[in-house]
């Protein structure tokens, strides 16, 4: 049965490859990116290659939370039912460390933007009979500094990236509790996959990008995972596919999760 699927950050890397695979399977796919020309090109490429005409584009710069909120308004209006949301957009290396509001761009793109957009379109996701949210975490997870989160202090790119991914995982676990009818899974799709982000950051890769694509397709579509909400899938474990494993201990600490979400809420003024 055809599903309606949004994949953020899907103009390159495993996001784009996942969009192609889902289009080939006949699903309605929304490709997202920050550059309208690139989004249009990818939409056209997928339509031509897969002969699936139900491919659409969404444009927003995820380092700009106002743009994210505007996109959410558009989605609420234009896509009444969303079966699967894959929060794939992520950034590690960046020329500009802070966005226009003085927040670290890694923290914004990797955590705050998916938080803002997902919460804004939850009602549309709930219209699905079997809704799923797949949040792309990482093997890199580090305790979240409130000062870094609110832009008061800066940390190294490695540390800030790891903090943003733990924040995303903590929020994922909380969202799973809050919304029992939605399957919410955090996933490390694989460390150092052959993608633009890994190659730019480290100049090397360990595994093919397809390893990450395969697990995203699996988590998004397979009935095997319908009862695994609120878990963390580590695709570095096992071969060719990983398994559910413990995330960072902070992801299970109720007081730390509560504090993170309180700070996030104040920061976003909601």
């Amino acid at each position: 049965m055809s599903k309606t699927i949004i994949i953020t950050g899907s103009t390159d890397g495993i996001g784009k490859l996942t969009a192609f695979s889902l289009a080939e399977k006949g699903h309605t796919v929304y490709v997202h990116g920050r550059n309208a020309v690139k989004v249009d090109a990818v939409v056209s490429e997928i339509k031509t290659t897969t002969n699936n005409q139900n491919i659409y584009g969404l444009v927003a710069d995820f380092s700009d939370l106002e743009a994210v909120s505007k996109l959410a308004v558009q989605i609420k209006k234009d896509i009444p039912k969303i079966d699967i949301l894959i929060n794939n957009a992520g950034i590690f290396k960046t020329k500009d460390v802070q966005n226009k509001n003085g927040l670290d761009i890694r923290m914004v793109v990797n955590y705050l933007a998916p938080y803002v957009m997902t919460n804004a379109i939850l009602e549309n996701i709930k219209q699905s009979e079997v809704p799923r949210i797949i949040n792309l975490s990482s093997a890199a997870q580090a305790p979240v500094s409130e000062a870094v989160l609110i832009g008061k202090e800066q940390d190294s790119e490695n540390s800030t990236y790891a903090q943003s991914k733990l924040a995303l995982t903590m929020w994922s676990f909380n969202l799973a509790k809050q919304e029992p009818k939605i399957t919410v899974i955090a996933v490390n799709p694989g460390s150092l996959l052959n993608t633009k982000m890994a190659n730019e950051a480290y100049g090397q890769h360990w595994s093919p990008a397809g390893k990450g694509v395969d697990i995203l397709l699996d988590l998004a579509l397979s009935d095997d995972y319908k009862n695994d909400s609120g878990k963390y899938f580590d695709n570095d474990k096992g071969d060719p596919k990983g398994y559910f494993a413990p995330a960072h201990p902070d992801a299970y600490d109720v007081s730390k999760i509560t504090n993170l979400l309180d700070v996030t809420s104040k920061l976003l003024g909601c």
Side-chain angles (χ1 to χ4, degrees):
M1 221 173 99
S2 176
K3 292 182 182 290
T4 298
I5 303 166
I6 295 174
I7 312 172
T8 66
S10 44
T11 55
D12 56 41
I14 63 172
K16 180 179 176 181
L17 293 171
T18 302
F20 259 100
S21 294
L22 289 166
E24 283 170 349
K25 293 177 188 297
H27 299 291
T28 297
V29 181
Y30 285 81
V31 171
H32 159 263
R34 62 183 175 178
N35 180 302
V37 174
K38 198 170 179 184
V39 169
D40 288 346
V42 172
V43 167
S44 178
E45 185 186 352
I46 294 174
K47 282 182 175 180
T48 304
T49 307
T50 66
N51 207 26
N52 180 345
Q53 299 307 302
N54 295 316
I55 313 299
Y56 306 95
L58 299 170
V59 180
D61 181 349
F62 265 31
S63 71
D64 179 350
L65 293 175
E66 287 174 24
V68 175
S69 292
K70 282 181 186 169
L71 176 62
V73 170
Q74 179 195 333
I75 289 171
K76 282 178 81 168
K77 183 166 65 81
D78 295 346
I79 317 173
K81 185 184 79 165
I82 300 160
D83 295 296
I84 300 161
L85 170 63
I86 302 177
N87 280 313
N88 167 73
I91 191 167
F92 182 92
K93 260 195 173 331
T94 172
K95 195 171 58 181
D96 302 311
V97 175
Q98 294 177 312
N99 73 354
K100 64 182 182 182
N101 302 114
L103 301 174
D104 189 288
I105 284 179
R106 281 164 288 262
M107 197 60 85
V108 177
V109 174
N110 300 345
Y111 166 56
L112 293 171
Y115 175 97
V116 167
M117 194 180 88
T118 305
N119 281 312
I121 63 173
L122 271 180
E123 288 308 313
N124 300 54
I125 295 169
K126 287 179 187 174
Q127 299 311 306
S128 172
E129 288 175 23
V130 281
R132 288 193 191 181
I133 297 171
I134 310 300
N135 287 333
L136 270 79
S137 183
S138 169
Q141 297 176 21
V144 183
S145 158
E146 184 177 327
V148 172
L149 175 59
I150 66 174
K152 195 174 173 186
E153 289 178 10
Q154 282 185 10
D155 208 336
S156 71
E157 57 188 19
N158 279 317
S159 176
T160 307
Y161 178 82
Q163 289 182 51
S164 71
K165 289 300 186 178
L166 178 55
L168 183 81
T169 306
M170 293 166 80
W171 163 60
S172 295
F173 288 1
N174 187 74
L175 185 62
K177 283 182 188 169
Q178 266 189 335
E179 303 293 343
K181 291 184 179 174
I182 304 175
T183 298
V184 185
I185 297 173
V187 55
N188 162 30
S191 295
L192 289 184
L193 299 176
N194 187 9
T195 62
K196 181 179 164 191
M197 187 166 81
N199 288 317
E200 278 182 357
Y202 299 104
Q204 62 171 329
H205 59 270
W206 291 342
S207 304
K211 179 181 171 81
V213 175
D214 290 345
I215 192 55
L216 291 188
L217 293 173
D218 226 9
L219 292 176
L221 300 173
S222 173
D223 279 346
D224 293 348
Y225 304 104
K226 64 185 179 185
N227 297 318
D228 289 314
S229 193
K231 294 182 181 178
Y232 168 70
F233 192 99
D234 189 350
N235 210 28
D236 284 340
K237 314 275 188 193
D239 188 30
K241 187 168 80 172
Y243 46 81
F244 288 104
H248 189 283
D250 286 8
Y252 306 95
D253 188 315
V254 174
S255 64
K256 286 184 179 176
I257 292 173
T258 302
N259 184 61
L260 170 71
L261 297 177
D262 283 348
V263 172
T264 301
S265 196
K266 282 178 195 159
L267 180 64
L268 298 172
C270 54

